[in-house]
Structure formats: C-alpha cells, structure tokens
Amino acid sequence: MKTLVIDTTINAHTESFSAQLLQQIKQQFAESTTYLPLNDMDLPTLDEATLTVIYKQKAGEALSVAEQAIADTRQAMLQQFKAHQKIVIIYPMYNYNIPARLKDYMDMVLMPRETFQYSEAGKIEPLLTDNRAVLFLQISGSMFSLDKECQQMEFAYRYLDMMFAKMGFKKRTLIRAEGTAICDKEAILQATLEDFNQWQVN
C-alpha cells in the first residue's frame, strides 16, 4: 500500500520537536514512500488567478502560459494524492486550526468529480472508496484531549476528518503530540512514536 507523507511543519531547527518527530517517523517508512514537504513547494492558493483557471477549464477556454502552470501543478498534486492508499499528515496547530499551506493543499485535492461528487439531490458522495486510510499527526503546545473547552476549539482535526470522510476515507486516525510547550518533550516524542508504530501495525 503506497504511503504519502505530507509535512506542513515550519520550524526547520534540528532541535525543534517537529523536526525530531519528523526525523524519527521518516525512518519508519520504506524507500517507496513519497515525502511531500509543503513549505518547500510553490503551491497555488485559491485566489483570483486560480479561480480564473478553474472557470476557464470548465468553459473549455485556452489558458495563458502562467495559467497553464497553475493548472499543471494542481493536476499533478491531485493525481499524486489519488495514487496513494495511505496518507500521513504531520501538522502543527496554529490558532486552533491547520497551517495555511495545508489549506492550500486541501483546496487542490478536494475537487468535484475527482475525489467527491454531488448527487442530483445535492448531497456529497465520496469517490475514493477503495479502502483508504489517513493519519492526522497533530502537534500542539497545549493539551486538547483533557480539557472540554479546548476540545470544542479543536477545529484543525475536525475539519480534516470531515473532509477526508467526504472523500471516502474509512480509516481516519488522530494521534496527538500535545503539550509540547508545557510538558516533557522527550516523553511526548516517545509516546507519539509508540502510537505511530501501533498505527503502522494496524
């Protein structure tokens, strides 16, 4: 089963928790695993230029050179995403939500008639229903699993979980690497790796 590891961590310092966790996890995967560092890539955002491309493609109109580049990048990211049965997303929580670069990526893979479709009644129907799995590895400085109020503000995981459900991913797992700003980072790292290894087995 092919795995796509999507990394959205920003802190590149080798001593950072994110860098240490990523280094450890990358060692667990086979060489055939695809690694996608979003912050090292020039991804199109869902802005006026990108919407123009989408509307032109829908109308069958010719694209400019710059517009074609946007279209090609979006198509390449979409096809890469669809070609992998297992997705691992490593992301820090920023202000209770996902990083902006990860939202840009989601805007490319959440595509009607490619990863989902609308029924005649207007309901969302998944198109990726061939036993796919996704792991959300969420890094946060605070503790969200123990506090009811914080749980209500945990928009990052809830958004990703719903979007992957609508695409058809039946197996969706959350691993929290939480409390990195207030707890023993080494203990958090080891606990996270244990959870990750258990997910690998299952």
Side-chain angles (χ1 to χ4, degrees), residues 12 26 37 85 124 156 160 168 190:
K26 288 174 70 174
Q85 293 291 109
I124 298 176
L160 290 172
Q190 294 307 314

Side-chain angles (χ1 to χ4, degrees), residues 6-11 18 37-39 43-45 89-107 136-140 155-157 159-160:
I6 302 171
D7 170 32
T8 68
T9 58
I10 294 177
N11 193 341
S18 298
L38 294 188
N39 285 297
L43 300 179
T45 60
I89 305 179
I90 304 173
Y91 64 96
M93 277 185 79
Y94 292 133
N95 295 322
Y96 313 105
N97 216 324
I98 62 175
R101 185 56 77 186
L102 180 54
K103 180 57 168 62
D104 292 337
Y105 182 82
M106 293 299 296
D107 286 337
F136 309 117
L137 211 168
Q138 178 173 283
I139 304 168
S140 64
F155 303 118
Y157 161 66
Y159 164 75
L160 290 172

